[in-house]
Amino acid sequence: MNKFKYIGISLLILTGLSFSSCSKDFLDEELTNQYSTEYFETPEGIQALTLSLYGNIRWHFGFEWAYGITLYGTDEFTNGNDLTNQMWNTYDSRLSPIRATASTGAANGNATGPEALWDELYYGIASCNTIIANADKITDLKIRNRCLAHAYFLRGYNYYRLTAQYGGVVLQTKPAVGVVRNFTRATEEQCWEQVITDLRNAYQLFEGEIFTYGKGITWTKATAAHFLAKALLFRSSERNDAWNSAYKEADMNEAISACTYAINARGPLTANYSDLYANWTGVDSAAEQQNEILMAAGHNADASTVGRFGNRTYSYFTPQFSVFSGGWVRRGVWIGSMDFQRCRPTEYTYGIYDHVNDARLWKTFKTVYGANNLVAPNAKGLQLGDPAIVMILNTKNDNTYNSYTFGAAIQNPTWKDDNSRLPSWTVGSRQTATTGALTTKIGQYSPNSLVLYQNGNYVAPNFKSGGTSFSNFFAGINKTDDGTRQAERGDSRRDVIMARLGETYLLRAECYVRLGQYANAMNDINIIRARAQWKNGENRSYYRDGSQAFETNALNTGTNATNYINSNLNMNTYYLSNPTIAVTTASSSLQLTTFPANLPAEDEAVLTKIGATTDYQRALHFILNERTRELIGEWQRWETLSRTGTLISRAKAFNPEAFGITANKHELRPIPQSFIDGLLNEDGSNLSTEQKKAWQNPGYTN
């Protein structure tokens, strides 16, 4: 497939591109930034500027803000030992209208400020405004509508993200003339009306599933439908209950219709959950071309087009394996990630899965690292390929490991892998068996071992190394691993999925719940859960992730190749974690038969802790749980909990580090002080102190 070479700054453009053909080889186009703003008022410039809009969405995954403003401070993730964005998780005083720096208490200079999202998304909105204002200069109606569809979509998407984070924001829908420093802040109701109007326009203007730029990277009618449904659902959700009563029923029905279009146009779901993320084999591989993917931030193998923001997400979900392994597992390009230990799963996250029957847990979490670097002295005779790190995801009622001593014992391991229940570890090669019994190689040691529960107590956070204050030893998720990187710290070259049908089904299910149509909601939920079940013939201890792309990486030679072979045994800890389960390749079932009564035990435990008792509360929280199982780490948890009015209760219940979270404050982000300080009154005078306070969200001070 010929994929457009994305650029990081939206006013850099490609020239010579015609919207009238889908067969153009975009990789042959030349980059240029030598045009004046007048160029973007010409038909050619408008088309080029439209194409450049795809670059704006790459920003979301270019640095620490990727997880800080989307995943931290929720029920799903807390911080590991790295504290770069700790304030976004703890909600302490450093999360303020002014960006925290090392001098004001941040761990380092990389902390995300509240202005990051604000500045970048208004940058994209400005490009959209230029296109919309000048589109009538394009005489070809099809091309004009394509330009308008893209501009309305990105403007709607950017205002969606701004309003979801900040509440009411500035609505600028026409190109600014000169320097403008006098603005009016719109209400949240006005903002959602603008978002919905823009996405409705995009939905009407897109030509069905026409892949204008190449399948896998192009926004289509289904993309607009998905986000239109999200916007309608947001407007009618709990955060806006003070004013949204007149919208609710109509919004839910329209959202259901939009979801139904996307599902019918782009379905069915990808058959195997692994194929969405774990089975990524390289740039433009089959994993990036699936119909289920509705929107992705595209990346490729051309370093010249990385631009300002590459994909930096490959390190944020990984434990600090190079430290607690004693050096036996090296950090490097053959691993697929670096051990930045940013996003550590909470007890809720591990526990919300059915550990026996839900394949998503074992296809998402990496639980084994093989030794790929033998360090002297090696008193216990560890060999290349031995399981240097093993993470056992057992459950609270499991007593198998009550008497074992676990942890990062580097030179004096106290746990020996001689239990007949353990899977086999094949020295020097990766496990590829798909059927048959799993035997044990007696005498192999696992010098670094973690278990979630002992004696009914959650002990995983106690595993630390090197005097760390927070746990740096945990099972991370694999949705961003990339074995094609060209340097240890090089940018990832895989796309980042931003929307897919798995979420669309859950959006429609939530709309049905809000209308009291629980049977319809259960039907959609069961479609998602049917894919999550083990299929007949699957080896439940088999594992893959994006590190496998190193197999065809040009760097895969010599020592690198040897280390890679021994770094990533294709094995998880399914049978270690479920010690009473006999080896099986039978199918499993996750189907609900009643809803919202008599839910699975893992859900009932959450509902009890949250205090969800009514049918609506139980159904809503179940969907939030199912969103974790299906969408863990997919960059939207904070906005989902804020939208549903559950952020405070669920963060307090399941994230011990979120100690500072406060109701009627942290459901919104602080408006950037840098923006407020730059405002002027209409007469050119500076804003007074009281006027500045009126611009700020409740509870925040500068």
Side-chain angles (χ1 to χ4, degrees), residues 37-227:
T37 56
E38 286 78 12
Y39 174 70
F40 301 119
E41 298 177 7
T42 68
E44 296 79 11
I46 295 166
Q47 293 175 61
L49 185 58
T50 300
L51 183 54
S52 79
L53 297 180
Y54 283 91
N56 190 239
I57 64 174
R58 295 181 66 183
W59 173 90
H60 297 283
F61 310 105
F63 206 54
E64 306 278 348
W65 50 69
Y67 66 89
I69 62 177
T70 61
L71 303 178
Y72 263 9
T74 67
D75 50 2
E76 290 182 349
F77 288 104
T78 187
N79 50 263
N81 193 56
D82 182 275
L83 304 180
T84 296
N85 268 331
Q86 183 188 28
M87 68 289 297
W88 292 89
N89 184 53
T90 59
Y91 298 94
D92 61 45
S93 61
R94 295 171 299 171
L95 181 57
S96 76
I98 300 174
R99 179 183 179 182
T101 64
S103 63
T104 59
N108 52 56
N110 295 329
T112 300
E115 76 285 350
L117 184 75
W118 183 281
D119 292 349
E120 187 65 23
L121 295 199
Y122 277 113
Y123 185 56
I125 287 167
S127 296
C128 296
N129 289 341
T130 297
I131 295 165
I132 293 168
N134 294 285
D136 60 358
K137 295 176 181 176
I138 301 174
T139 57
D140 187 309
L141 184 60
K142 178 178 286 189
I143 295 176
R144 182 196 304 169
N145 286 344
R146 287 181 178 178
C147 291
L148 283 170
H150 282 78
Y152 280 123
F153 173 75
L154 183 67
R155 191 171 74 178
Y157 174 80
N158 280 9
Y159 273 125
Y160 174 96
R161 292 295 307 274
L162 286 166
T163 309
Q165 290 274 327
Y166 302 100
V169 296
V170 174
L171 291 178
Q172 181 72 26
T173 58
K174 295 181 179 179
V177 178
V179 178
V180 181
R181 296 177 63 183
N182 173 247
F183 295 102
T184 300
R185 183 180 180 184
T187 66
E188 194 158 1
E189 182 175 8
Q190 291 169 329
C191 289
W192 285 118
E193 181 61 32
Q194 183 64 53
V195 171
I196 290 165
T197 297
D198 280 348
L199 293 175
R200 280 175 179 155
N201 286 337
Y203 180 60
Q204 293 299 321
L205 288 166
F206 275 123
E207 309 159 67
E209 303 314 292
I210 304 297
F211 295 97
T212 313
Y213 305 125
K215 186 175 180 181
I217 66 166
T218 305
W219 308 330
T220 69
K221 190 179 185 74
T223 315
H226 177 90
F227 282 98

Side-chain angles (χ1 to χ4, degrees), residues 280 283 311-312 314-315 331-339 480-494 546-547 549-550 553-555:
W280 187 79
V283 176
N311 179 359
R312 305 296 297 177
Y314 56 85
S315 301
R331 205 170 79 173
V333 292
W334 54 85
I335 297 296
S337 61
M338 289 193 292
D339 50 355
T480 60
D481 286 353
D482 179 5
T484 72
R485 299 196 330 276
Q486 298 299 287
E488 183 180 31
R489 293 180 177 269
D491 287 314
S492 173
R493 307 196 297 179
R494 70 181 293 177
S547 299
F550 193 70
N553 191 321
L555 300 175

Side-chain angles (χ1 to χ4, degrees), residues 391-462:
M391 301 172 183
I392 300 170
L393 308 185
N394 64 335
T395 55
K396 189 171 186 177
N397 59 356
D398 173 47
N399 295 307
T400 305
Y401 304 103
N402 288 353
S403 61
Y404 284 84
T405 302
F406 291 86
I410 294 173
Q411 297 299 336
N412 185 27
T414 57
W415 177 55
K416 178 178 171 182
D417 178 8
D418 59 2
N419 187 315
S420 62
R421 294 294 305 154
L422 305 188
S424 65
W425 307 106
T426 305
V427 176
S429 64
R430 298 189 300 160
Q431 176 60 245
T432 58
T434 57
T435 60
L438 301 175
T439 59
T440 300
K441 181 178 176 63
I442 302 298
Q444 284 187 311
Y445 286 84
S446 179
N448 302 274
S449 306
L450 170 147
V451 65
L452 296 183
Y453 290 94
Q454 289 183 300
N455 299 299
N457 297 315
Y458 183 62
V459 296
N462 299 335

Side-chain angles (χ1 to χ4, degrees), residues 581-628:
I581 301 299
V583 173
T584 179
T585 58
S587 62
S588 65
S589 177
L590 291 173
Q591 296 295 281
L592 301 179
T593 57
T594 60
F595 182 75
N598 302 316
L599 295 173
E602 55 272 14
D603 291 285
E604 292 289 358
V606 167
L607 298 180
T608 297
K609 189 164 186 177
I610 289 293
T613 56
T614 68
D615 282 353
Y616 173 74
Q617 291 170 340
R618 288 172 58 82
L620 177 64
H621 281 281
F622 177 88
I623 288 176
L624 293 176
N625 296 345
E626 194 64 35
R627 288 182 68 95
T628 295

Side-chain angles (χ1 to χ4, degrees), residues 368-679:
V368 176
Y369 289 84
N372 61 18
N373 182 52
L374 298 183
V375 182
N378 184 6
K380 293 297 182 181
L382 196 71
Q383 302 179 59
L384 286 176
D386 279 0
I389 301 169
V390 172
M391 301 172 183
I392 300 170
L393 308 185
N394 64 335
T395 55
K396 189 171 186 177
N397 59 356
D398 173 47
N399 295 307
T400 305
Y401 304 103
N402 288 353
S403 61
Y404 284 84
T405 302
F406 291 86
I410 294 173
Q411 297 299 336
N412 185 27
T414 57
W415 177 55
K416 178 178 171 182
D417 178 8
D418 59 2
N419 187 315
S420 62
R421 294 294 305 154
L422 305 188
S424 65
W425 307 106
T426 305
V427 176
S429 64
R430 298 189 300 160
Q431 176 60 245
T432 58
T434 57
T435 60
L438 301 175
T439 59
T440 300
K441 181 178 176 63
I442 302 298
Q444 284 187 311
Y445 286 84
S446 179
N448 302 274
S449 306
L450 170 147
V451 65
L452 296 183
Y453 290 94
Q454 289 183 300
N455 299 299
N457 297 315
Y458 183 62
V459 296
N462 299 335
F463 294 99
K464 305 171 184 179
S465 176
T468 61
S469 57
F470 291 91
S471 176
N472 58 353
F473 191 5
F474 52 85
I477 67 174
N478 64 18
K479 292 183 175 182
T480 60
D481 286 353
D482 179 5
T484 72
R485 299 196 330 276
Q486 298 299 287
E488 183 180 31
R489 293 180 177 269
D491 287 314
S492 173
R493 307 196 297 179
R494 70 181 293 177
D495 294 351
V496 184
I497 296 175
M498 301 176 73
R500 58 182 179 85
L501 288 181
E503 184 190 11
T504 314
Y505 274 103
L506 293 175
L507 292 173
R508 191 169 70 175
E510 185 178 338
C511 292
Y512 284 135
V513 164
R514 291 177 181 275
L515 292 173
Q517 300 175 23
Y518 295 116
N520 287 338
M522 186 175 74
N523 288 340
D524 278 348
I525 293 166
N526 276 338
I527 291 172
I528 295 296
R529 290 172 69 85
R531 176 173 62 183
Q533 299 164 176
W534 292 109
K535 308 301 186 293
N536 188 46
E538 279 194 283
N539 179 357
R540 299 188 184 189
S541 66
Y542 183 70
Y543 172 85
R544 281 170 76 81
D545 62 35
S547 299
Q548 68 195 286
F550 193 70
E551 293 171 356
T552 57
N553 191 321
L555 300 175
N556 187 19
T557 60
T559 302
N560 284 343
T562 301
N563 286 337
Y564 169 67
I565 288 171
N566 295 290
S567 70
N568 227 2
L569 300 173
N570 281 0
M571 184 70 74
N572 63 41
T573 61
Y574 178 87
Y575 290 107
L576 282 164
S577 304
N578 297 296
T580 63
I581 301 299
V583 173
T584 179
T585 58
S587 62
S588 65
S589 177
L590 291 173
Q591 296 295 281
L592 301 179
T593 57
T594 60
F595 182 75
N598 302 316
L599 295 173
E602 55 272 14
D603 291 285
E604 292 289 358
V606 167
L607 298 180
T608 297
K609 189 164 186 177
I610 289 293
T613 56
T614 68
D615 282 353
Y616 173 74
Q617 291 170 340
R618 288 172 58 82
L620 177 64
H621 281 281
F622 177 88
I623 288 176
L624 293 176
N625 296 345
E626 194 64 35
R627 288 182 68 95
T628 295
R629 292 182 282 253
E630 178 70 17
L631 304 170
I632 181 72
E634 296 187 31
W635 320 107
Q636 53 184 301
R637 188 62 170 182
W638 185 91
E639 75 173 39
T640 299
L641 298 187
S642 175
R643 169 178 68 79
T644 55
T646 61
L647 175 65
I648 306 299
S649 61
R650 290 182 74 106
K652 285 185 174 181
F654 302 119
N655 186 344
E657 279 73 52
F659 56 82
I661 195 167
T662 303
N664 302 315
K665 176 181 179 179
H666 288 124
E667 297 92 339
L668 297 175
R669 304 303 198 184
I671 302 296
Q673 195 65 39
S674 57
F675 170 77
I676 295 175
D677 288 343
L679 292 172

